[in-house]
Amino acid sequence: MSPQMGTKTGTPKPFALTPVLTANWAQPRSWTLAAYESRGGYAGARQALAMSQDEVIALVKNSGLRGRGGAGFPTGMKWGFIPQGDAKPHYLVVNADESEPGTCKDVPLMLASPHTLLEGVIISAYAIRAHTAFVYIRGEVLHVVRRMQAAVDELYANSFLGPDVLGSGYALDVVVHAGAGAYICGEETALLDSLEGYRGQPRLRPPFPAVAGLYASPTVINNVESIASVPAIVSGGAAWFRTMGSEKSPGFTIYSLSGHVTTPGQYEAPLGVTLRDLLHLAGGVRGGHRLKFWTPGGSSTPLLTAEHLDAPLDYEGMVGAGSMLGTKALQIFDDTTCVVRAVLRWTQFYAHESCGKCTPCREGTFWMVQILERLEAGDADAKDVDVLLDTCDNIFGRSFCALGDGATSPVVSSIQFFRDEYVAHYTGGGCPFDPSAATLFAAEAGAAR
Amino acid sequence: MALTEQTRLALREILARYPKPRSALLPMLHYCQSEEGYVSPAAIGACAEELGLTKAEVGAVATFYTMYKRRPIGDYYVGVCTNTLCAVMGGDAILDALEEHLGIGNDETTPDGAVTLEHIECNAACDYAPVIMVNWEFFDNQTPGSARELVDRLRAGDPPLPTRGGRLCTWKEASRVLAGFYDGRADEGPSAGPASLIGLEMAAERGDRAPQMPRVASPGTGSVSMARDGAPR
């Protein structure tokens, strides 16, 4: 396959992996400043600090970079909403609370190369005229917290952070902040409440964080991968970034393959590749089985099936297929997996993580768990599937934040594609699947029997 | 919590990191766990006093977040991921096996005080499913057999190395790091595990790479000649 990239429109692009964010992960001691600088690291930060703030914002706007945390909002535009010349302090907050089920890209990035993120933090904070940045990392990844702490210490020791960043006269402090276990804190306004020392509950918008965010001051909140993409954009330029991906979804991104796939892992590629392409690389669905369903970007994005293998994995392509790109967490499930069991477990997760602030989400997820448990146990009847859909109708669009909407995604999409399997659960007296057949060690367990 | 002068100093050191004091509350609670192993009523009182909040305000926060424990737990917190993907791949079977092997249920501690077992939600390591976390370090690609061996070694005081992380420390020591007190151990463990590197390795095998970065500044884009990752030299 040709590594050539970037024909503008028309015929499908030849597909090549494009390691940028992942390029240095195999380097010895990749997490150190010395290793990162030896590969050209912090050149982008030096360049950006020599530009005006508005030029940096314009560059990121021109690149077309869109948020990699799920919503896909244009990053440069988000920065542009920050008022300029006001008297209030500005803040940059990195959302490193990676918790969406299936999502596993930011954690390996921060573990292997914390400086990729921190170089992005310097550039982004400079652009939005912030002098304090926070990296809010979920607390359940101890060694990632250590690597970030050590990287920040190294930057202060070498005057990459502090009162005079890289001799530019620009002052920046970075605080590494560990969360304490709450999925909802990945929602940006809940994250802000958490960072202010409150329960992590979402805020009413407007006002948006760009106007009144952390401490009621202008604040930009970006995902780890979004911020980590900025140094390469500064070094390579907007046009270079746009040689990858499509017009509306430009650039490289990390796709995370997990589940019943021969070689799960992180695959960095241009936006717009297809699951068929990625599965081909990853050796396909595990031997002897076929693809049953998958998530494009975590459990909050509607399930897709084998009929969607050729849909482009970009923002528009996934909406066109009836789902969302989300976090590009491609969870692959083969024909041994009971979709009702899978959806029950996700729904239990949403019920557990619902913050309790709004009624549709708090009560709705609770009731859906009851119904799905009845289905899985064989105690449900024909009305229950319709009650599930009706409940979803009352949660979706009526919840305070996206958690409630996300909770309906697996339920509605699984009924759309696998209604027969739901029916089999109440006509056949329970779950027809053997859970041990779906495990990774199914062969081992079978041999032991 | 018996508030020693040292504890007060640590809590104030945390407080000094933030523009507004209350932002220190989560790390302060992690710090309290590092002293007592859990967040005791006295610890809630201490945080409230330092921040000028009521105990109810601090308690409301402490009980919202699952990482704060309300009663003492073992030296090793063993969390088995049973979110959908790990559960399907074997997490449910692993949790069953450990409950049977240890003779304890979810959120219970072995009588020797060594191991507390709990099922956890997705821990961002799905490409290594099924996953177990011990004191928030990764033990990747587990089976019921490997999980039994893992807890046996924890109980024998011979903790194995995490798959991707530093040497195991105790729950209290881990909580101190989460409170923002770096323990100097970032250099332990690998850069990445095999699944994290698989795409990079395949790219090398196939000769795939990102397009070359331009050598000359493109007008209006602010880009200049740079040799860095993503730019073949």
Side-chain angles (χ1 to χ4, degrees), chain A residues 53-61 65 73-84 90 92 120-129 210 219-222 226-231 233-234:
Chain A
Q53 290 95 333
D54 293 342
E55 281 174 331
V56 180
I57 294 177
L59 168 61
V60 173
K61 265 187 190 162
L65 173 67
F73 193 82
T75 304
M77 194 185 294
K78 201 183 233 186
W79 296 2
F81 292 152
I82 293 288
Q84 305 298 345
H90 298 180
L92 174 70
V121 166
I122 290 175
I123 300 168
S124 310
Y126 171 73
I128 63 161
R129 297 166 167 89
T219 302
V220 163
I221 306 142
N222 279 136
S226 311
I227 294 288
S229 299
V230 170
I233 290 171
V234 171

Side-chain angles (χ1 to χ4, degrees), chain B:
Chain B
M1 182 162 72
L3 253 194
T4 64
E5 193 50 33
Q6 196 191 334
T7 312
R8 293 259 182 215
L9 288 175
L11 294 183
R12 280 168 200 166
E13 192 180 330
I14 295 169
L15 214 144
R17 291 181 207 140
Y18 294 91
K20 301 258 169 108
R22 186 162 174 164
S23 280
L25 181 51
L26 265 63
M28 284 166 78
L29 290 167
H30 280 305
Y31 186 81
C32 291
Q33 287 211 134
S34 81
E35 294 228 332
E36 295 190 294
Y38 72 114
V39 176
S40 67
I44 287 175
C47 292
E49 203 180 310
E50 285 299 318
L51 292 173
L53 300 171
T54 65
K55 287 183 199 172
E57 286 171 316
V58 174
V61 172
T63 54
F64 183 83
Y65 296 94
T66 55
M67 288 177 76
Y68 301 130
K69 303 304 173 191
R70 282 191 258 180
R71 50 199 162 86
I73 68 162
D75 283 339
Y76 297 103
Y77 172 88
V78 175
V80 181
C81 179
T82 59
N83 200 296
T84 299
L85 189 116
C86 270
V88 165
M89 302 293 282
D92 279 357
I94 289 168
L95 183 64
D96 288 349
L98 288 184
E99 287 183 349
E100 190 191 337
H101 187 67
L102 295 171
I104 56 175
N106 183 54
D107 197 20
E108 290 178 4
T109 302
T110 52
D112 58 6
V115 170
T116 297
L117 182 66
E118 198 168 34
H119 72 81
I120 58 171
E121 298 300 352
C122 185
N123 220 89
C126 317
D127 45 346
Y128 298 96
V131 170
I132 292 179
M133 304 301 293
V134 179
N135 291 348
W136 306 118
E137 296 276 21
F138 291 108
F139 286 81
D140 299 331
N141 302 118
Q142 294 295 299
T143 67
S146 69
R148 281 190 288 261
E149 192 189 318
L150 168 61
V151 296
D152 284 349
R153 287 188 60 180
L154 295 177
R155 297 185 78 182
D158 174 31
L161 281 177
T163 322
R164 294 173 289 143
R167 280 175 295 114
L168 276 187
C169 58
T170 64
W171 171 259
K172 290 181 180 176
E173 289 164 345
S175 297
R176 195 166 190 282
V177 175
L178 297 175
F181 295 99
Y182 174 52
D183 62 4
R185 292 173 49 192
D187 287 345
E188 294 175 19
S191 294
S196 310
L197 299 175
I198 193 77
L200 186 61
E201 284 166 9
M202 284 188 190
E205 276 167 30
R206 291 156 46 101
D208 286 0
R209 55 197 188 184
Q212 186 160 8
M213 287 182 180
R215 292 268 151 199
V216 184
S218 317
T221 64
S223 90
V224 296
S225 168
M226 273 299 144
R228 64 177 295 143
D229 288 330
R233 286 166 279 249

